[in-house]
Amino acid sequence: FMNHTHPAKALKFCPFCGSNQFVWDNKKAHHCMNCLHRLYTNEAGAVVALIENNKKEILFTLRKFDPAKGKLDLPGGFIDLGETAERAVVREVKEELNIDVEAINFFGTFPNTYTFCDFTYFTIDMVFRCKVNDFSPIKADDDVDSYRFINPKNVSINEIGLDSIKNIIRLLKS
């Protein structure tokens, strides 16, 4: 995880006092040697929607932007401050595909990294099986270029952009 975009390499100054005596502990936090504050690098919450049609195909999206532009993804995104994961998955599906989630069931969690503008965010992706009754208003929007329904058994892992999504599909295939 210690690439050039890791917070240990990217953060050089203490956000509390501005000191350049801002040292990474090689585990999970920066320590300021000047004001003694600590800044932890924790996982950010994100959500993923598993949506099936009546043919048992999964609704995949195609990413419009980097990271992994042009690769397969599943609907979802970051949880906003103060928002529940359940509310976030409903909101993200509406923003990205203009469809309404009628019911959700928790599926599992998958750690991931998300590098954006040369900074690596660590996420914990909370995955929900989502029921959609009406697909007629569906359209690609927000950061989604297009969408398609695919049987997960027919998806090559190399077509998928993000590691957590690869792991979700591997689990569905097994």
Side-chain angles (χ1 to χ4, degrees), residues 81-124:
L81 293 176
E83 184 177 45
T84 66
E86 295 83 356
R87 177 69 195 110
V89 77
V90 170
R91 174 185 53 76
E92 285 286 347
V93 170
K94 184 68 171 180
E95 286 175 4
E96 292 182 350
L97 295 164
N98 195 45
I99 51 178
D100 295 312
V101 170
E102 305 298 330
I104 62 172
N105 289 294
F106 182 71
F107 179 78
T109 60
F110 297 79
N112 198 24
T113 57
Y114 188 90
T115 301
F116 181 74
C117 292
D118 291 330
F119 192 80
T120 299
Y121 297 87
F122 297 88
T123 67
I124 186 69

Side-chain angles (χ1 to χ4, degrees), residues 49-60 74-75 99 107 128-135 149-152 172:
L50 279 175
I51 303 170
E52 280 187 355
N53 64 12
N54 56 10
K55 299 176 192 169
K56 300 290 183 206
E57 297 166 322
I58 300 285
L59 178 55
F60 284 89
L74 293 171
I99 51 178
F107 179 78
F128 295 90
R129 284 194 180 272
C130 299
K131 181 171 175 38
V132 171
N133 292 327
D134 182 11
F135 288 105
F149 284 94
I150 310 170
N151 183 317
L172 289 174

Side-chain angles (χ1 to χ4, degrees), residues 119-171:
F119 192 80
T120 299
Y121 297 87
F122 297 88
T123 67
I124 186 69
D125 293 353
M126 291 165 253
V127 183
F128 295 90
R129 284 194 180 272
C130 299
K131 181 171 175 38
V132 171
N133 292 327
D134 182 11
F135 288 105
S136 64
I138 195 168
K139 66 174 182 162
D141 203 355
D142 197 31
D143 54 359
V144 170
D145 189 55
S146 62
Y147 62 89
R148 59 189 70 135
F149 284 94
I150 310 170
N151 183 317
K153 293 184 185 325
N154 299 333
V155 173
S156 165
I157 295 300
N158 296 334
E159 296 176 87
I160 300 169
L162 302 173
D163 287 343
S164 62
I165 306 303
K166 290 176 182 179
N167 291 331
I168 294 163
I169 299 307
R170 282 186 187 108
L171 183 60

